[in-house]
Amino acid sequence: MKRATIKDIAREANVSLATVSRALNHDPCVTDAMQARVLETAKRLGYVPNSIAKSLKTNSTYTIGFLVSDISNNYYISIARTVEDMVSCQNYNLMLCSTGNRKDRELDYLQMLMSKNIDGLILNTTGLNNDFILEMSKKTPIVLLNRRIMNVGFRGDLVDTNSYLGCYKLTKQLLAMGHRDIYVVRGPAHLSNSFERFQGFADAMGEVGIAVNGDYPYIYTGEFTLQSGEEAIRHMRQMEHMPTAILSQNNMMTIGILKELRRSMIRVPEDVSLVSYDGISNMDLMMTRPTSASFDMTAIGEQVGESILSRIKHPETPNREYIFDPTITPGNSLGIPRG
């Protein structure tokens, strides 16, 4: 079936091409009656605007890329939903992609998004394609989500949670209950948020005279994934001296930790206490509810949406940072050290 064009609308409505164009673009010079006539004809003919032709004319595709590390993480889904609601009000479409924390997949998506001439990019980076992203930021408005690019050449905004403060507070809470053998389950060391979370843990431990260095036995470094949480507990079970508490530095890791603890019949908090960076969806329905550093995801999403729309409109805006502090949400996962 042949696609309807503005020429077909003009012929059916018995008006000029210019009048059709102005009516479709809601030009105030077109009377209400004429606009209604043109729009009714367009609807009846099944007219769909040619977005490619429109982008060539306006130099805008009205598309924003949103590249995240893990689409299964409810944290990113919630933020994406809020961002989509905001940008759609400005007639932008959100193109959501998930890298799985893989360098090659992220690079493929970045190149694809550039080829589509996106108007802006929201990026939760793998930290492995920084040179490409630095060049991209010179031409494309970018808002980083949760992970910094540590280079003065980067142009764009950062919207992040206070990684250091969240893990510092969680560690202090464990220490106040008497825990000293605290098993920290962290993400890749090259990621800024992983580094900052670990530093918050290390500084809190240092305040009670425990140096978290190469000799500290209770560290597991993995990916910010459910599988890494499971592997961390399997690793823990091989230790000669078991820790009395676990600090999980990511909510997906926490879910994996809980699953493997249950399989291993290790009780929380009777056998081991557990705290988590980032809350878990529907936690009130769970038997074990980890004490967590939680964040207002709607507020974060609104800031991301506001930042990308602002930067698209004013691309020369100086770099900005928006950091959200945590709320410690109590659960039922804390107990005094066993024995």
Side-chain angles (χ1 to χ4, degrees):
M1 183 178 178
K2 184 182 176 182
R3 179 173 176 169
T5 67
I6 61 171
K7 290 183 179 180
D8 298 323
I9 298 171
R11 182 174 61 254
E12 285 288 318
N14 195 27
V15 296
S16 68
L17 288 173
T19 298
V20 173
S21 179
R22 284 194 289 266
L24 292 175
N25 287 285
H26 303 282
D27 191 316
C29 295
V30 178
T31 65
D32 292 344
M34 180 58 72
Q35 182 165 318
R37 176 177 163 188
V38 170
L39 293 179
E40 188 281 328
T41 304
K43 182 178 180 180
R44 178 163 47 83
L45 295 177
Y47 171 75
V48 177
N50 187 325
S51 59
I52 297 176
K54 185 176 181 180
S55 69
L56 292 172
K57 182 178 179 180
T58 63
N59 197 32
S60 173
T61 60
Y62 282 90
T63 303
I64 296 172
F66 195 160
L67 200 51
V68 301
S69 57
D70 183 4
I71 195 62
S72 67
N73 191 331
N74 188 67
Y75 175 86
Y76 297 118
I77 295 172
S78 297
I79 290 174
R81 187 183 299 117
T82 301
V83 172
E84 185 174 38
D85 287 344
M86 290 189 67
V87 302
S88 64
C89 293
Q90 303 295 321
N91 297 317
Y92 285 95
N93 297 306
L94 199 65
M95 185 178 292
L96 185 61
C97 311
S98 180
T99 66
N101 267 320
R102 285 172 43 188
K103 177 182 179 179
D104 57 338
R105 183 179 292 181
E106 179 183 60
L107 184 58
D108 287 344
Y109 275 133
L110 289 171
Q111 291 172 336
M112 179 272 290
L113 292 169
M114 283 191 68
S115 72
K116 292 186 177 299
N117 195 30
I118 57 172
D119 295 298
L121 174 66
I122 301 163
L123 176 62
N124 173 235
T125 175
T126 65
L128 301 173
N129 291 298
N130 287 356
D131 289 343
F132 187 90
I133 295 165
L134 286 173
E135 288 301 311
M136 190 175 178
S137 73
K138 295 176 182 178
K139 301 177 182 179
T140 304
I142 296 179
V143 173
L144 297 177
L145 176 60
N146 289 128
R147 298 174 182 176
R148 300 172 182 271
I149 290 181
M150 304 297 289
N151 190 301
V152 294
F154 173 75
R155 290 176 55 186
D157 294 341
L158 170 71
V159 180
D160 200 357
T161 58
N162 195 328
S163 293
Y164 176 93
L165 183 62
C167 282
Y168 177 84
K169 284 188 170 185
L170 290 171
T171 306
K172 292 289 284 185
Q173 190 156 359
L174 290 173
L175 291 169
M177 298 190 71
H179 293 281
R180 295 297 182 268
D181 298 337
I182 302 174
Y183 184 38
V184 59
V185 182
R186 63 174 302 190
H190 71 274
L191 293 175
S192 65
N193 55 348
S194 179
F195 173 81
E196 291 163 6
R197 292 173 196 182
F198 186 79
Q199 197 60 48
F201 163 74
D203 286 355
M205 295 291 279
E207 290 177 6
V208 296
I210 301 175
V212 180
N213 51 33
D215 296 327
Y216 186 78
Y218 301 117
I219 300 175
Y220 180 86
T221 301
E223 300 292 333
F224 283 137
T225 63
L226 184 149
Q227 290 76 18
S228 278
E230 294 174 325
E231 290 163 6
I233 299 306
R234 290 194 283 270
H235 174 75
M236 183 187 79
R237 292 178 60 200
Q238 305 305 313
M239 295 178 179
E240 183 177 354
H241 299 289
M242 295 279 282
T244 63
I246 302 170
L247 167 59
S248 171
Q249 297 196 337
N250 165 266
N251 58 350
M252 295 301 291
M253 282 178 156
T254 302
I255 295 172
I257 287 169
L258 287 168
K259 289 181 67 176
E260 193 62 27
L261 286 173
R262 184 176 178 85
R263 289 192 197 106
S264 304
M265 292 186 289
I266 298 174
R267 300 168 300 167
V268 179
E270 292 85 356
D271 299 323
V272 65
S273 292
L274 173 64
V275 294
S276 171
Y277 192 92
D278 288 338
I280 299 173
S281 299
N282 301 315
M283 192 169 68
D284 55 330
L285 302 178
M286 300 171 62
M287 292 290 290
T288 303
R289 300 181 294 280
T291 292
S292 60
S294 303
F295 301 88
D296 186 339
M297 289 181 286
T298 299
I300 294 172
E302 288 173 349
Q303 185 59 68
V304 171
E306 180 182 318
S307 295
I308 193 63
L309 290 172
S310 169
R311 190 157 284 279
I312 290 171
K313 190 174 182 179
H314 305 288
E316 300 304 319
T317 301
N319 290 13
R320 302 170 295 188
E321 290 189 2
Y322 305 94
I323 310 298
F324 289 79
D325 286 344
T327 298
I328 302 301
T329 303
N332 61 1
S333 64
L334 294 181
I336 61 174
R338 62 183 182 278

